[in-house]
Amino acid sequence: MNQQPYAQPTPAVLYTTDGQPLYTAPPQTAPLSVYRPAPLPQPVPVHAVDPTSVYLPTPAAEPGRDVWPARLLAGGIGTGAAGIGLGFLFQAIAAAATGIGLLAAVLALIWLLKNTSSSGGGRSGAVNLSVNVTNRNR
């Protein structure tokens, strides 16, 4: 059994006297030929075309105004654009509502921290007490 994988036979390389390689190739079954594309067809002369066979659009009776919004809506472009625009609008409204809600929550937390105490009940904070004691029995 042959353990070597199949290898392509290496072509013999001959060298000229100046060192240029000359590769030998297997013999060709047919002689090589130069590719020449087929000639292009000649254009038809203009005078040979019958003018009645050429389609000419009829001019409009009245040049009306181009209603481009109607054409866009008929093509569905306006509907898609309106959907994208409404999507952006709703996204902006949701972001603004979220921002306002977060701001209100922070302000409520600050108010709660300021107005509540960690001790017993009642009002908290420093108490200014002034006591005047006079002894009249002297």
Side-chain angles (χ1 to χ4, degrees):
M1 180 153 92
N2 186 6
Q3 299 294 330
Q4 298 293 331
Y6 177 74
Q8 294 285 338
T10 55
V13 180
L14 301 175
Y15 293 95
T16 60
T17 55
D18 59 351
Q20 296 291 327
L22 294 174
Y23 295 98
T24 59
Q28 300 292 326
T29 57
L32 297 176
S33 62
V34 179
Y35 171 74
R36 290 188 176 93
L40 296 174
Q42 296 296 325
V44 178
V46 177
H47 58 80
V49 176
D50 183 18
T52 58
S53 66
V54 177
Y55 169 74
L56 296 174
T58 58
E62 176 181 330
R65 196 174 133 206
D66 186 20
V67 286
W68 60 269
R71 285 191 294 130
L72 288 178
L73 285 175
I77 295 172
T79 307
I84 291 172
L86 286 175
F88 278 119
L89 175 69
F90 292 149
Q91 184 179 8
I93 290 172
T98 302
I100 291 172
L102 288 174
L103 180 64
V106 167
L107 291 176
L109 181 64
I110 291 172
W111 184 83
L112 283 173
L113 290 175
K114 180 180 167 277
N115 291 328
T116 59
S117 66
S118 59
S119 63
R123 298 184 68 134
S124 66
V127 177
N128 293 330
L129 182 61
S130 175
V131 178
N132 290 333
V133 177
T134 56
N135 191 356
R136 293 183 182 201
N137 297 328
R138 280 208 272 183

